[in-house]
Amino acid sequence: RAAQRFNLPLRYCPSLLLCTDEEGGLYPGIRYLAEQQLVEGHILSFNGGAAPRIWAGCFGSIDLKITVKGRSSHSGEPVNAINAIEQSLPLLNALHSLKQQVQQRAWPMPAPPHYNGAPLISRMTLAAAHGGSKGSTVPAQFEILINRRYAPQEPFEQVMAELQNCIATAMADTEALSVEHEVIGHLAPVADPTGPHWPRWQAALGVGFGFTAEQFQCYGSSSSSDMGWVQQAGIQEILLGGLIRPESRIHAADEYTTRDDLVALAQSILAYLAADFTPPDSLLSAPADRHQDWLTAILSGCPTPTHC
C-alpha cells in the first residue's frame, strides 16, 4: 500500500507466503508450498532477528518419540506386571551417554558472536518423559521425547541410525512388551543460503535499522528453520531478517517486539523492493563478478568464509 500510494515502481513481483505453522511437525506449510513449486525466485524469511547478520545457515532438528510398553497392575500386588518406566532406565542412561558423545562434535559453520569463539556443536536433548498416572498402578507405558540437532555435514540417515542403534542396544534384554520409535518432527538443515541478492538486502537493512557495513557479521546457529525444506525443493538462496532480539522472550507466551523495530523492518522491505534503490557504491550495477568480490569482502570477519 505504501508503494502504491507513492506510485513507487518495484524491482520484484513479491508473493507473500503466510503459513499457520512455524517449525512444526513433519510437514510445515512452507515445505508444502516449496515442494509444489509455488515458491519462485529467491525467498526472504522473516523468522530472523533485528540484527546486522549475514545468515550462514543452521542445523537440522529431529524430534524422536520412543514408546516403551509394559503391563499394568495394582502396585500393591503387581501380578504379571511389567513396569514400563523401570524397564526404560537402561535406555535413559544410554541416551544420556550418547548425548555426551554427540556434543563433542564441532562443526565449521561460524557461530554467533555471543559464543565468544566457541564452535557450533551437535546437540541432543532428552526433552520430555511421560508415564504412569497414580501411585497405586504400575505404569504400562512410558514415552521419551528426544531432540537431536544435526549439522549440514551429518547425513540424516546416519543420525537416525545412531539413535536407532542406541535404542536397540540398550533395550536388548528388556522385559518390556515392545519398544517403538517414531519421528514426529523434522527440520532439514540450511547450508550456505547466500547468493546474489544478499548485498541488496544487507544495504536495505542499513536503510531501515541504520546498520553499517562494518557491523555485519556472518554466522549460523544450532537452532533450526523450516527454510531447510525450501532448499531441499531447489531454492538455494534465502535472505533472512526479522524482529527477534535477545530480550524478546522468544517462544514464550509474552514474546514481544517494538513499534520502532516494526517500522525499521517495513522500511527495509520497501527499500529492498523499490526499483530505484541502489546500495552504496552502485554495487548492483557492477559486473556479476563484482558481487562475489563484495560479498567476500563483507565476510572477511567470518572464521570460515568458504562455508558462508
Side-chain angles (χ1 to χ4, degrees):
R1 289 200 297 265
Q4 290 173 345
R5 178 180 177 186
F6 294 99
N7 297 315
L8 182 68
L10 301 184
R11 183 182 181 92
Y12 308 105
C13 179
S15 296
L16 306 182
L17 308 177
L18 307 177
C19 300
T20 59
D21 50 5
E22 181 248 348
E23 301 177 7
L26 287 169
Y27 221 89
I30 189 62
R31 176 181 181 181
Y32 173 82
L33 295 176
E35 290 180 352
Q36 297 300 311
Q37 304 298 308
L38 296 173
V39 181
E40 301 179 68
H42 63 287
I43 193 165
L44 173 52
S45 169
F46 297 119
N47 192 32
R53 177 186 183 185
I54 302 166
W55 198 29
C58 65
F59 283 20
S61 175
I62 299 169
D63 283 333
L64 183 70
K65 184 176 77 171
I66 306 168
T67 303
V68 178
K69 294 184 178 180
R71 185 182 296 117
S72 186
S73 177
H74 195 293
S75 61
E77 194 171 341
V79 179
N80 296 323
I82 299 176
N83 189 316
I85 295 178
E86 292 177 357
Q87 292 299 312
S88 301
L89 291 176
L91 175 58
L92 288 171
N93 289 330
L95 290 169
H96 188 262
S97 177
L98 177 59
K99 170 189 172 79
Q100 312 308 314
Q101 300 174 39
V102 164
Q103 297 189 174
Q104 294 297 314
R105 301 168 189 166
W107 301 99
M109 183 183 291
H114 64 267
Y115 274 51
N116 297 317
L120 288 173
I121 60 172
S122 300
R123 294 192 178 275
M124 181 171 159
T125 301
L126 279 70
H130 304 283
S133 58
K134 57 182 181 177
S136 60
T137 304
V138 174
Q141 183 166 298
F142 188 49
E143 294 181 352
I144 305 166
L145 179 62
I146 303 301
N147 178 259
R148 173 72 159 84
R149 304 283 170 151
Y150 67 103
Q153 294 88 345
E154 295 182 276
F156 170 77
E157 295 77 13
Q158 180 177 308
V159 173
M160 282 300 303
E162 183 178 56
L163 290 169
Q164 291 166 343
N165 181 65
C166 178
I167 296 169
T169 302
M171 301 300 283
D173 299 323
T174 183
E175 296 179 5
L177 300 180
S178 67
V179 182
E180 302 169 353
H181 63 271
E182 176 188 8
V183 176
I184 61 172
H186 182 209
L187 296 171
V190 174
D192 189 15
T194 56
H197 297 88
W198 263 98
R200 183 182 182 89
W201 176 236
Q202 187 175 345
L205 288 172
V207 171
F209 288 92
F211 301 140
T212 65
E214 293 74 22
Q215 288 179 296
F216 278 86
Q217 299 183 62
C218 170
Y219 56 92
S221 68
S222 54
S223 59
S224 304
S225 167
D226 37 26
M227 291 299 109
W229 296 121
V230 174
Q231 279 198 336
Q232 298 239 341
I235 297 176
Q236 184 67 25
E237 183 182 21
I238 303 171
L239 310 183
L240 184 67
L243 297 167
I244 297 171
R245 291 186 182 272
E247 64 272 18
S248 298
R249 296 196 280 273
I250 304 166
H251 287 333
D254 56 350
E255 180 178 2
Y256 73 95
T257 186
T258 66
R259 183 174 296 143
D260 286 346
D261 278 352
L262 284 169
V263 170
L265 183 59
Q267 290 174 331
S268 300
I269 296 168
L270 194 59
Y272 182 78
L273 294 176
D276 62 353
F277 174 64
T278 304
D281 301 324
S282 301
L283 289 168
L284 295 181
S285 62
D289 59 344
R290 282 279 310 282
H291 291 285
Q292 187 58 46
D293 291 344
W294 185 81
L295 189 58
T296 300
I298 61 177
L299 294 179
S300 59
C302 175
T304 52
T306 56
H307 290 86
C308 295

